[in-house]
Amino acid sequence: VSHLLVTGNTKTLRTILALAQTHEISLGIIPNTKQKELIRTLSLPSKVKERIAVALKPQEKKIDLLYCNETIVLQEVVIGDAPPLDTFEAVLEGKGLFDRLKLFWKTLRKVKSLKHRKIKILDAKENVMDISAVGLVAVSYKNETFASKLLSSKLSATDGKLVLAILSPTSMLQYMTYVFQSIVSHKTSKNLPKSIGYISSASLQIETDMPLRVLVDDEEIESKTLVLAVKREALALSVGEAFWEKQSVGQNGKDSVKIDHLPSDKESSEYLAKAIPLFSHASKEQYATLFSNLREEGRLNSVYITLLILSTMIATFGLFIDSSSVIIGAMLLAPLMQPIVSFSMGALRQDSTLEINSAKSIFWGVFSVLLTSALIALFIPIEHLTSEMKGRLSPTILDLFVAIVSGVAAAYVKNNEKIMSSLAGVAIAVALVPPIAVAGIGLGWGDLHMFMMAFLLFITNLVGIVFAASLTFVFLGFSPLKVAKRGVAIWLVMVTLISIPLYGAFKQMETEAKVQSRLSNVTFQLAEHDVTLVNVQLIHGLKKDEIHCDVEATGKLNKDEMLRLKEAILGTVKKDTDILVTFKYKL
């Protein structure tokens, strides 16, 4: 016998595969119409007669065979639960967006049943790898599964390697992102999802702390120890031409591993074995490193006060000379962001030591800025409100949004040492020292309104940063929800309270913008003259608002024309205001 044909169920196919491999006989498989995944894997024609024709033709080119505990694997080995890695892409064929969303939801419902298990893996070179995962999928060539699609560049039918895809989500959000990307968007990312790792080797020994459900193709077995091995170019199998076209080329035969980002320490394994949390859980090492830095940055010291005083002097002089570049330099020098981020972690974790130390640093920092800027304002014989000062006297809800985004950025940067240089950009964006310096100038001038409005901007920044940074630390896994909810709730109330005056200011700004839009460059016809309004401003007064503008006219207006102009302006803005104009006549 030189060539065999086989058709039947998976068990029958595996039996004949083993027979053909043992006796070095070429083989042709004729899948039935229900074995769609196998037809796709072997790139066989859709019509039965054409499949038979391919099976009848012996091939000299041989493919690798994957074994699990010395049993031939036709498609895949699934260890534990690994949806959707173990799913064939055929489930998405012909499905629209609504159907894919239903499948996404169905897959997502399984997340509650997913449990992490400690897994020990020994590769062909006897390297030992300890990981925590919910499921594994082993394949040796492209077989139309999601695991195969995700790791297609690592798969070849002739390189003598198997690829073990590892599903190890550390949070529900992380898992949801991967499932949505796979099923709904149906796109393969160039970068491996954070919840996925892989090992490529000629053989792998897998040991678990307790028996796991193992599927070899569609046959279920239970075992605590599995041995996966590949026999290189072990069988001459009749396949379609497209089968060879889709195999990866240029494989160098070397083992490859990407599991550094997966949980492996004892603490993470025990934490994830209970249930997959909504947010990731920071490791003990991450926690210790970040807390060490935050405790150090939250302490009051002479260097911190010195830098704040110097930055305040630069900022105050920059405000007087109306120079944005000088003020930006002061923002970069000021270290006030550090204790605020430390305070947000203290508030989140109810860590009284961190919270009190950081609060002291913030208080004395703010006090030193106010005192320094007030003294400078007293000694400078100029009492002129520059545009840089004015820009910090009208905080709105938009400033709160900036502070919240900056707080998220600051917490994220603190968690990642590789991007610490980005903290300078956060400091510029949120600008903590300049508004306090303006408040200090207001004290020096005895202008209470100026002090209160500028200090409101600082409070807005402080509240926004603390709330957003706390929430970001929760997302990054530095506090369980049961501990974090009290601190987050308190600062959410603070954000809500500070939003009330800011929203009122925003509505005023909106009203002013509408008035300017309605009146700017509008031409009124008044008897003999055409009148155009330019440089329109709405000034909010305590009792009554005022409209300031320049009036460009073709000639001098009489009293009747002035009255008609006033009525036209009031009719346009639809509110009772005082109108102050400067007349400009065209010669």
Side-chain angles (χ1 to χ4, degrees), residues 117-123 127-133 136 166 168 199 205-209 257 259-266 268-269:
R117 295 287 181 265
K118 294 178 183 177
I119 299 172
K120 182 179 179 180
I121 302 175
L122 185 71
D123 68 8
N127 296 313
V128 179
M129 291 162 276
D130 292 306
I131 60 169
S132 175
L136 316 169
I166 304 166
S168 182
I199 302 172
Q205 181 176 310
I206 301 170
E207 297 178 9
T208 60
D209 56 347
V257 179
I259 59 171
D260 292 343
H261 61 292
L262 303 183
S264 58
D265 59 284
K266 184 179 178 182
S268 296
S269 299

Side-chain angles (χ1 to χ4, degrees), residues 434-449:
I436 313 176
V438 173
I441 293 170
L443 286 177
W445 289 351
D447 189 333
L448 186 60
H449 179 264

Side-chain angles (χ1 to χ4, degrees), residues 316-317 320 371-383 440-441 444-445:
T316 306
F317 292 136
F320 270 100
L371 182 62
T372 304
S373 56
L375 289 173
I376 292 174
L378 281 171
F379 283 100
I380 292 180
I382 300 172
E383 196 168 322
I441 293 170
W445 289 351

Side-chain angles (χ1 to χ4, degrees), residues 258-454:
K258 188 172 178 59
I259 59 171
D260 292 343
H261 61 292
L262 303 183
S264 58
D265 59 284
K266 184 179 178 182
E267 181 196 5
S268 296
S269 299
E270 291 175 353
Y271 180 78
L272 293 168
K274 299 173 185 177
I276 298 176
L278 180 60
F279 307 117
S280 298
H281 176 68
S283 67
K284 192 173 183 179
E285 184 180 350
Q286 289 176 304
Y287 187 85
T289 302
L290 181 63
F291 258 68
S292 176
N293 292 338
L294 292 179
R295 287 188 189 281
E296 185 63 32
E297 292 174 355
R299 291 193 182 98
L300 183 65
N301 55 62
S302 58
V303 174
Y304 166 75
I305 295 296
T306 302
L307 285 176
L308 266 181
I309 292 173
L310 291 174
S311 65
T312 303
M313 293 173 71
I314 295 171
T316 306
F317 292 136
L319 289 165
F320 270 100
I321 63 176
D322 208 21
S323 172
S324 57
S325 59
V326 174
I327 296 171
I328 289 172
M331 296 175 196
L332 289 171
L333 184 62
L336 193 55
M337 177 69 82
Q338 295 175 356
I340 292 177
V341 175
S342 299
F343 181 79
S344 69
M345 179 65 86
L348 179 70
R349 299 278 309 188
Q350 278 96 68
D351 187 324
S352 56
T353 303
L354 183 59
E355 204 169 0
I356 291 170
N357 287 341
S358 301
K360 284 180 180 178
S361 295
I362 295 169
F363 173 80
W364 289 111
V366 171
F367 179 78
S368 64
V369 174
L370 284 172
L371 182 62
T372 304
S373 56
L375 289 173
I376 292 174
L378 281 171
F379 283 100
I380 292 180
I382 300 172
E383 196 168 322
H384 170 65
L385 202 63
T386 64
S387 60
E388 288 290 342
M389 294 179 190
K390 289 178 184 177
R392 289 163 176 86
L393 296 179
S394 304
T396 68
I397 198 75
L398 299 179
D399 293 290
L400 180 60
F401 293 156
V402 171
I404 288 173
V405 176
S406 298
V408 172
Y412 184 72
V413 168
K414 282 291 181 184
N415 181 53
N416 195 330
E417 292 183 358
K418 294 179 181 178
I419 55 173
M420 282 296 288
S421 59
S422 300
L423 198 58
V426 178
I428 293 173
V430 76
L432 290 165
V433 166
I436 313 176
V438 173
I441 293 170
L443 286 177
W445 289 351
D447 189 333
L448 186 60
H449 179 264
M450 182 179 179
F451 166 79
M452 290 178 63
M453 296 307 294

Side-chain angles (χ1 to χ4, degrees), residues 422-532:
S422 300
L423 198 58
V426 178
I428 293 173
V430 76
L432 290 165
V433 166
I436 313 176
V438 173
I441 293 170
L443 286 177
W445 289 351
D447 189 333
L448 186 60
H449 179 264
M450 182 179 179
F451 166 79
M452 290 178 63
M453 296 307 294
F455 203 72
L456 176 61
L457 177 57
F458 167 69
I459 295 298
T460 299
N461 290 336
L462 176 66
V463 171
I465 291 169
V466 173
F467 171 71
S470 300
L471 205 59
T472 305
F473 283 134
V474 174
F475 273 85
L476 294 173
F478 287 97
S479 178
L481 283 174
K482 61 182 180 181
V483 176
K485 61 184 180 182
R486 182 174 178 271
V488 172
I490 290 171
W491 285 94
L492 178 58
V493 171
M494 299 283 282
V495 167
T496 304
L497 292 174
I498 200 72
S499 297
I500 297 171
L502 295 177
Y503 183 73
F506 175 75
K507 293 302 290 183
Q508 283 188 343
M509 185 175 76
E510 185 182 20
T511 302
E512 184 176 344
K514 287 180 179 178
V515 169
Q516 289 177 338
S517 176
R518 289 171 184 169
L519 294 179
S520 292
N521 299 312
V522 174
T523 301
F524 298 97
Q525 289 185 340
L526 304 174
E528 298 179 359
H529 303 293
D530 291 334
V531 173
T532 303

